[in-house]
């Protein structure tokens, strides 16, 4: 049996980002660039008005001295005629400054009457003009290889005329749920059957970690059928199998994976819930056997599989996401394992998250899970932790 850190290192160490692919900006959201991205244009691309008003020659403007209005420059419209001595062009915010003009008189600072405009305030050269290239020059690098395409970056790239970028492709994750006892959510109850929830969690948690998911549904506990489905599931980057990795007579997953040439890296981790977690590899494909108990499956997804997916998706050094908090009451690891205590979180007056472990704890306690926000983690070997101890929290949003 592996300690948590040892098992995590066996999964994550040496995991390299997958190759890049070209994507439209929207499809690239949240993903990692494989190449720098440069602006296609100067920004602004031309001298533009920052205000609604009149394009003028600053030197001509005197309070009370009318200027003849030659025409109208609308945003996106063709360039209006040149402004010369004693003239002005009506201009909208964002429109190109006409030739000859070097400033904008705001509409609020002008009296307008048939065909002329009389300034009520002076202007200086450059007033209310956004100059070409004052923000970005064509060719300036706006985002680097390895950067995550956050919303701020995407907005900036769209403004810079970038339509497509190269990003790490999404890991392809196959999910197979095993168990003859499983009913789909919402089906009528049947004797001896329970409702299936792990498939839903694996699909949602994998998608949140950047994977594209191929769902194989539920397979009954039959070695031949299991072999067929798992064989199909091995052509992706990651295969996740729920259930069937224990030692019962109906647990077929391990021998089937072995027969399919998947090499075991470890089986069993010193965590609770989640101990029977199985991990192996075939070539570059990572294979996880999640224990069937719903809480064990969730912990396995959050602690092992989501970080692995994020690394494959290009996030170097991705690791389980823990927040710091403190225990509201005494708790500790049990069975000498790092223990994930189902907990409700509450923000204390000092801003720190406080974890209240629920009364019921156990890998099958899905009711308790429903009144919780995640888990507080009592590390293996720590012994009993008094109320107020700082601990890691795993939030499941
Ligand atoms: P297993 O790992 O297959 O031995 O399953 C361990 C326990 O989890 C058993 O009580 C199963 O009935 C239950 N279980 C297995 N798969 C699921 C699932 N997909 N959803 C909910 N419970 C499950
Ligand atoms: Mg089973």
């Amino acid at each position: 049996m592996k300690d948590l850190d040892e098992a995590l290192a066996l999964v994550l160490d040496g995991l390299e980002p997958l190759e890049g692919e070209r994507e439209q900006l929207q499809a690239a959201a949240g993903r990692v660039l494989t190449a720098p991205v440069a602006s296609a244009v100067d920004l602004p691309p031309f001298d533009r008005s920052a205000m609604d008003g009149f394009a003028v020659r600053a030197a001509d403007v005197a309070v009370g001295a009318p200027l003849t209005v030659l025409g109208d420059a609308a945003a996106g419209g063709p360039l209006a005629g040149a402004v010369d001595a004693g003239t002005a062009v009506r201009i909208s915010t964002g429109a190109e400054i006409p030739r000859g003009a070097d400033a904008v008189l705001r509409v609020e600072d002008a009296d307008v009457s048939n065909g002329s405009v009389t300034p009520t305030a002076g202007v200086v050269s450059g007033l209310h003009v956004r100059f070409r290239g004052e923000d970005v020059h064509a060719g300036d690098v706006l985002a680097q290889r390895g950067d995550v395409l956050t919303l701020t970056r995407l907005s900036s790239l769209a403004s810079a005329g970038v339509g497509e970028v190269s990003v790490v492709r999404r890991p392809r994750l196959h999910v197979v749920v095993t168990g003859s006892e499983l009913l789909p959510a919402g089906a009528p109850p049947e004797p001896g059957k329970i409702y299936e929830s792990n498939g839903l969690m694996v699909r949602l948690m994998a998608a949140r970690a950047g994977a594209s998911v191929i769902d194989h549904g539920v397979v009954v506990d039959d070695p031949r059928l299991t072999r067929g489905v798992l064989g199909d599931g091995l052509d992706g980057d990651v295969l996740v199998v729920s259930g069937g990795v224990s030692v019962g007579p109906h647990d077929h997953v391990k021998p089937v994976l072995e027969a399919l040439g998947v090499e075991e890296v470890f089986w069993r981790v010193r965590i609770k819930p989640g101990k029977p977690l199985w991990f192996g590899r075939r070539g570059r494909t990572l294979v996880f056997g999640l224990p069937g108990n719903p809480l064990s499956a969730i912990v396995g997804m959050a602690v092992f599989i989501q970080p692995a997916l994020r690394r494959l998706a290009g996030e170097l050094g991705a690791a389980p996401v823990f927040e710091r908090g403190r225990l509201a009451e005494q708790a500790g690891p049990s069975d000498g394992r790092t223990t994930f205590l189902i907990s409700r979180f509450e923000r204390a007056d000092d801003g720190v998250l406080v974890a209240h472990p629920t009364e019921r704890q156990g890998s099958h306690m899905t009711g308790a899970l429903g009144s919780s926000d995640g888990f507080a983690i009592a590390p293996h070997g720590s012994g009993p932790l008094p109320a107020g101890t700082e601990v890691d929290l795993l939030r499941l949003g």
Side-chain angles (χ1 to χ4, degrees):
M1 182 146 51
K2 303 286 183 212
D3 284 346
L4 174 55
D5 288 344
E6 198 186 346
L8 258 182
L10 286 167
V11 173
L12 298 179
D13 285 359
L15 267 193
E16 294 291 330
L18 299 169
E19 65 279 5
E21 62 182 0
R22 299 288 290 172
E23 287 281 20
Q24 302 279 314
L25 289 190
Q26 188 160 335
R31 294 166 65 182
V32 173
L33 287 172
T34 57
V37 188
S39 182
V41 290
D42 291 337
L43 290 176
F46 44 84
D47 294 347
R48 311 170 74 196
S49 177
M51 292 285 171
D52 288 324
F54 296 88
V56 294
R57 290 161 41 137
D60 286 353
V61 173
V63 173
L67 303 166
T68 305
V69 177
L70 298 177
D72 191 22
L79 190 56
V83 172
D84 53 21
T87 68
V89 164
R90 184 183 278 276
I91 194 162
S92 307
T93 303
E96 183 163 8
I97 302 284
R99 264 178 300 117
D102 66 348
V104 172
L105 174 71
R106 297 189 311 164
V107 73
E108 295 90 336
D109 297 331
D111 284 336
V112 186
S113 66
N114 48 12
S116 74
V117 58
T118 305
T120 59
V123 300
V124 293
S125 181
L127 188 68
H128 304 314
V129 177
R130 295 170 178 161
F131 290 100
R132 173 177 183 158
E134 72 176 24
D135 182 12
V136 169
H137 290 109
D140 282 357
V141 171
L142 297 177
Q144 305 286 349
R145 173 168 189 256
D147 282 347
V148 177
L149 285 173
T150 55
L151 296 184
T152 46
R153 286 204 177 104
L154 286 165
S155 173
S156 171
L157 297 184
S159 300
V162 175
E164 265 187 20
V165 290
S166 296
V167 287
V168 178
R169 76 169 168 81
R170 291 186 182 282
R172 289 193 306 124
L173 177 142
H174 291 259
V175 50
V176 177
V177 172
T178 72
S180 301
E181 74 279 35
L182 301 174
L183 284 176
E190 284 180 36
K193 305 261 175 163
I194 63 163
Y195 289 111
E196 199 287 293
S197 63
N198 293 344
L200 176 70
M201 288 304 103
V202 172
R203 295 191 298 272
L204 289 173
M205 294 176 81
R208 285 191 186 186
S212 66
V213 176
I214 301 110
D215 185 16
H216 295 264
V218 175
V219 59
V220 296
D221 295 315
D222 169 274
R224 200 180 50 82
L225 292 175
T226 303
R227 184 180 171 129
V229 183
L230 297 193
D232 292 344
L234 277 167
D235 80 345
D237 303 299
V238 179
L239 167 61
V240 176
V241 189
S242 158
V245 287
S246 295
V247 288
H250 305 291
D251 292 332
H252 305 298
V253 171
K254 285 194 295 152
V256 165
L257 288 173
E258 196 186 328
L260 288 166
V262 183
E263 273 179 43
E264 177 177 311
V265 177
F266 62 77
W267 178 44
R268 295 211 266 233
V269 184
R270 202 163 284 120
I271 55 175
K272 185 180 180 175
K275 181 173 90 171
L277 183 80
W278 190 96
F279 173 63
R281 286 198 175 87
R282 191 177 83 173
R284 297 193 58 188
T285 305
L286 311 180
V287 182
F288 295 91
L290 287 175
N293 273 307
L295 278 77
S296 306
I298 289 172
V299 167
M301 275 304 293
V303 174
F304 290 92
I305 301 176
Q306 285 189 315
L309 291 170
R310 285 169 32 226
R311 288 207 183 192
L312 292 174
E315 195 187 318
L316 303 176
V321 181
F322 298 132
E323 295 172 63
R324 289 302 276 176
R326 61 174 180 253
L327 283 172
E329 58 199 61
Q330 185 196 298
S334 62
D335 302 349
R337 294 186 262 165
T338 294
T339 300
F340 291 73
L341 299 153
I342 314 167
S343 300
R344 192 169 47 75
F345 299 161
E346 192 176 50
R347 191 142 325 256
D349 292 342
D350 60 3
V352 176
L353 271 186
V354 176
H356 300 262
T358 56
E359 220 170 272
R360 286 166 287 148
Q361 296 287 337
S363 59
H364 61 296
M365 289 291 187
T366 50
L369 191 63
S371 52
S372 78
D373 301 293
F375 300 92
I377 301 164
H380 116 260
S382 65
L385 304 168
T389 305
E390 263 204 45
V391 287
D392 281 332
L393 306 180
L394 173 62
R395 184 195 285 280
L396 297 169

